[in-house]
Amino acid sequence: MKGGNPSLDDTTVEIGGFAIPAPPAEDGTPTAYLVEMAGMCSHTPPPPPNQLVLVKLDGEWPPDYVHQPVRLTGRLAIDPSDRVLMVVDGNVSMKSTWRLDLESVEAFLPKPGMSAGNSEWVEQLRAKLGKIGSEKSQ
């Protein structure tokens, strides 16, 4: 597996992406994967190991559905893993360079079957974009 950037090892980060529910770790800890684009790992190979994050969940939040858009905060560590996950096309080897020990999660809408024009989703997106824009202008 490719190594990760050592300057990010054992740091607290905030990272966005799409969560894929995964089976628990060997010790029973609930897990998920974080990928950069919706649809990854379903009909396509998973991203390279240095772009795939195995997330150790805090037990309070499992992804509600595959490819749920999220922003995660937690402790990032270089901890290579290779686990097999059943996806749409069958078993896939999920090789990850990174592990994130989850501290907090912000899940976004829309959920499957909801219209992209759903006013709750639109307002949530506007609020986030406004917050980011005001932070940059300071």
Side-chain angles (χ1 to χ4, degrees), residues 23-53:
E26 288 181 14
D27 66 1
T29 303
T31 65
Y33 283 99
L34 188 68
V35 296
E36 63 180 311
M37 294 184 335
M40 287 186 120
C41 305
S42 293
H43 292 288
T44 60
N50 63 347
Q51 295 177 19
L52 182 64
V53 179

Side-chain angles (χ1 to χ4, degrees), residues 1-111:
M1 280 186 243
K2 294 180 181 179
N5 182 339
S7 69
L8 296 174
D9 190 28
D10 199 32
T11 61
T12 298
V13 298
E14 183 178 276
I15 185 170
F18 297 87
I20 300 172
E26 288 181 14
D27 66 1
T29 303
T31 65
Y33 283 99
L34 188 68
V35 296
E36 63 180 311
M37 294 184 335
M40 287 186 120
C41 305
S42 293
H43 292 288
T44 60
N50 63 347
Q51 295 177 19
L52 182 64
V53 179
L54 173 63
V55 182
K56 292 238 178 173
L57 305 177
D58 61 7
E60 295 180 25
W61 174 79
D64 292 326
Y65 52 93
V66 175
H67 298 117
Q68 181 178 11
V70 294
R71 180 179 9 229
L72 306 178
T73 302
R75 200 86 175 147
L76 189 65
I78 295 175
D79 184 14
S81 64
D82 185 356
R83 300 173 64 204
V84 174
L85 184 67
M86 173 62 95
V87 295
V88 174
D89 291 338
N91 290 330
V92 172
S93 178
M94 303 285 276
K95 295 178 181 176
S96 175
T97 299
W98 299 102
R99 183 192 77 243
L100 181 77
D101 296 325
L102 187 66
E103 294 172 8
S104 68
V105 62
E106 185 175 4
F108 296 96
L109 296 175
K111 292 183 179 177

